[in-house]
Amino acid sequence: SEMDPMLPKGLLPALVEVLPSQVRGMNTQHLSNCLWASAQLQEVEPSVLKLVPAISSEIPSKAKDMVPQALSNCFCAAAKLQDAAEEVLKVLPAIVAEIPKKAGDMIPQALTNCLWAAAQLQEVDAGVLRVVPGLVERMPSEAENLKPQELSNCLLATAQLYEVKPLVLQILPVLADQLPLKVQQMNSQALSNCFWSCAQLQHHPQGAAWVPGMLQQILQRLPAAAAQMTPQELSNSVRVAPRLQETVPEVLEVLPVMLEQLKTFPCF
């Protein structure tokens, strides 16, 4: 990735030097924005990671005043920053305590981000699982408003969470109902994630009821989408396909297309 050409050269490093001394005076929206921006920019400008300790120290005392979107942004940012700046994990107890109180007012994007973040953070802090029941309760009424990428992320989170939090499977029927309506607009990453999720969910009784129908929809798109897939997405899908053949035998028909595409990458 390249930096936005409209961003003056040297602006970010300069901001990174100044911002830590300003966090005490920031309101909840500014803190949330800065943490979210750090997560988004970490790969193109690693110096933004220097901001994380100061922001993370300030958020716990202000989390109770955050609006739902700000809470969701902080939770999602923590999931994205956990490896590069583990100080961000300090924000989790306060954020997790507030999300169940405000899940009722979250828009679909915020609900999705929180569910996805809980799935990514569950191993470093099992306390994040406290947010799942409130999110699951909201999802049936909001599923029709999910964007294709959000639907894919919800399915992925369901597959990653169901062993430790089985109640997340309650959203599977509404996700399965929405998939035929959104699958045509899914990008290659979303399709690859849905494909993997089906493999994870197929052997659970609640999953087995919905996976075949979802797979049929995904398989219609996979051959054309293979050309846009990254090597990682392709290799994941190639590995997953044999695991799904008992559920939907036609899955093996897409393998040749994906294998051919994989050969176009030098590392394969």
Side-chain angles (χ1 to χ4, degrees), residues 11-51:
L11 176 61
L12 263 181
L15 284 173
V16 167
E17 292 304 314
V18 173
L19 277 171
S21 63
Q22 307 295 315
V23 294
R24 283 274 170 91
M26 285 185 184
N27 62 28
T28 55
Q29 189 66 50
H30 294 155
L31 287 167
S32 167
N33 286 349
C34 284
L35 194 65
W36 180 85
S38 299
Q40 300 303 108
L41 291 165
Q42 61 179 315
E43 290 184 12
V44 292
E45 183 57 69
S47 70
V48 298
L49 296 171
K50 293 182 194 170
L51 297 176

Side-chain angles (χ1 to χ4, degrees), residues 32 36 66-78 95 99 106-107 109-115 117:
S32 167
W36 180 85
M66 285 188 171
V67 297
Q69 190 67 38
L71 284 170
S72 167
N73 285 350
C74 286
F75 198 35
C76 192
I95 295 292
I99 287 174
M106 285 186 178
I107 61 174
Q109 181 194 41
L111 291 168
T112 301
N113 284 348
C114 286
L115 196 65

Side-chain angles (χ1 to χ4, degrees), residues 71-190:
L71 284 170
S72 167
N73 285 350
C74 286
F75 198 35
C76 192
K80 292 181 176 182
L81 287 164
Q82 61 177 315
D83 293 330
E86 62 182 22
E87 300 94 335
V88 78
L89 300 176
K90 287 184 203 167
V91 309
L92 291 180
I95 295 292
V96 165
E98 293 303 314
I99 287 174
K101 301 173 192 173
K102 299 183 181 172
D105 297 315
M106 285 186 178
I107 61 174
Q109 181 194 41
L111 291 168
T112 301
N113 284 348
C114 286
L115 196 65
W116 177 86
Q120 310 316 308
L121 289 161
Q122 61 178 317
E123 290 184 9
V124 293
D125 186 347
V128 300
L129 298 172
R130 288 173 53 199
V131 307
V132 176
L135 302 173
V136 166
E137 194 177 317
R138 284 290 319 286
M139 201 58 77
S141 62
E142 295 299 325
E144 65 181 310
N145 300 316
L146 292 173
K147 293 175 182 168
Q149 188 70 38
E150 292 163 358
L151 181 66
S152 169
N153 284 348
C154 283
L155 191 58
L156 180 65
T158 301
Q160 292 171 327
L161 285 166
Y162 81 90
E163 289 183 350
V164 290
K165 210 72 177 167
L167 71 80
V168 76
L169 290 165
Q170 290 173 19
I171 69 173
L172 200 49
V174 292
L175 298 181
D177 282 348
Q178 287 299 311
L179 191 69
L181 308 175
K182 314 272 169 84
V183 73
Q184 292 301 324
Q185 289 82 47
M186 283 187 180
N187 62 22
S188 60
Q189 182 191 39

